[in-house]
Amino acid sequence: MANALVELLNRADVCIISGGNVDQFERQILDHLEADTEVLERLHLMPTCGTRYLRYQEEAWTTVYAHDLSEEERDSAIAALTERAKELGYWETETWGDVIEDRGSQITFSALGQSAPIEAKRAWDPDGSKKEALREAVADELPELEVRSGGSTSIDITATGVDKAFGITRLSEYTGVAFDDMIFVGDRLDPGGNDYPVVALGCKTVHVKDWEETAEFVEKLVSVFPAR
């Protein structure tokens, strides 16, 4: 995946937008890239569902913007997630890492912990009913915040109106690239998924189910576009 990403960056600008925090981006992506400054300057990073935007400038990753929640909003979100998860019987005792993370601009609930194996995450809520029940309960309690489904076991809370569509809109404004000149690749383009807000923007969307399909699609793009 890292090799395919570098090859694509040799041909086009690429944005990675995810619910993960900056540390995850470093650990899961940046630590694996062997690329020079010119290539990294074409990479746009949007952690925590686009509530933050980072660019590689003057040989360092620089924050373009960050929409942090207030301390009161973060405390309310953490309390609501904790109480409603326990009330519904979804608070697990055997986990891989923290169940609730304060990411500054986003509060994230991960039922099994952020580092849980993929197999365990898929088995916890195969039809998404647990996550949706928890999301609805927390959303009712926090009408002033955006509460949406994240990954397979996660729920993300941000400021109202700040989602992946917000991030991609800011990306278009900062880069001058129109929506219809973008291709958005995601695994949760279904209604209720954290990629779904992008559908209405007018980007071409491509659904993938896992990283293997993502790598295959990136390799196809690389085969079509010439290197710069």
Side-chain angles (χ1 to χ4, degrees):
M1 188 69 233
N3 291 337
L5 178 57
V6 171
E7 286 299 316
L8 186 58
L9 285 166
N10 279 318
R11 292 158 170 78
D13 279 48
V14 178
C15 174
I16 301 176
I17 183 168
S18 167
N21 60 19
V22 175
D23 289 343
Q24 283 179 270
F25 273 58
E26 292 176 350
R27 186 174 66 255
Q28 297 176 352
I29 302 167
L30 300 180
D31 288 350
H32 304 279
L33 297 183
E34 295 183 10
D36 58 27
T37 297
E38 184 179 355
V39 170
L40 290 175
E41 287 176 348
R42 297 192 196 113
L43 180 59
H44 307 252
L45 301 181
M46 288 190 160
T48 52
C49 293
T51 59
R52 295 179 181 272
Y53 178 27
L54 286 76
R55 293 293 308 276
Y56 195 72
Q57 298 171 336
E58 298 181 0
E59 300 189 353
W61 286 100
T62 303
T63 299
V64 178
Y65 69 68
H67 293 280
D68 287 340
L69 296 169
S70 69
E71 183 177 355
E72 182 180 355
E73 288 172 329
R74 299 200 303 274
D75 289 345
S76 297
I78 291 170
L81 285 167
T82 304
E83 292 167 8
R84 298 291 81 76
K86 290 180 177 179
E87 182 181 88
L88 291 167
Y90 299 157
W91 189 270
E92 303 293 338
T93 55
E94 295 184 18
T95 60
W96 291 262
D98 294 333
V99 172
I100 295 179
E101 294 177 87
D102 183 347
R103 298 175 176 177
S105 55
Q106 177 177 292
I107 302 298
T108 295
F109 170 89
S110 301
L112 301 177
Q114 188 57 233
S115 301
I118 293 176
E119 295 76 16
K121 289 184 176 182
R122 289 174 176 167
W124 184 76
D125 187 22
D127 64 356
S129 59
K130 290 182 180 179
K131 191 172 55 172
E132 181 55 23
L134 179 57
R135 189 204 66 77
E136 286 186 2
V138 173
D140 287 343
E141 189 169 336
L142 302 174
E144 73 283 2
L145 296 174
E146 192 83 37
V147 183
R148 61 183 172 277
S149 176
S152 54
T153 63
S154 64
I155 290 172
D156 299 322
I157 300 178
T158 64
T160 299
V162 181
D163 53 20
K164 289 189 178 181
F166 172 90
I168 297 302
T169 300
R170 299 289 86 74
L171 180 70
S172 178
E173 292 172 353
Y174 277 100
T175 62
V177 178
F179 296 140
D180 57 6
D181 289 327
M182 297 181 182
I183 300 174
F184 183 91
V185 182
D187 64 345
R188 291 300 312 280
L189 289 162
D190 54 293
N194 63 350
D195 297 323
Y196 185 73
V198 178
V199 173
L201 293 181
C203 305
K204 177 183 179 182
T205 57
V206 176
H207 178 265
V208 292
K209 67 179 181 181
D210 50 33
W211 75 265
E212 290 93 344
E213 284 194 1
T214 306
E216 288 176 8
F217 181 72
V218 171
E219 288 165 356
K220 288 179 181 177
L221 289 178
V222 168
S223 70
V224 171
F225 296 109
R228 290 182 176 178

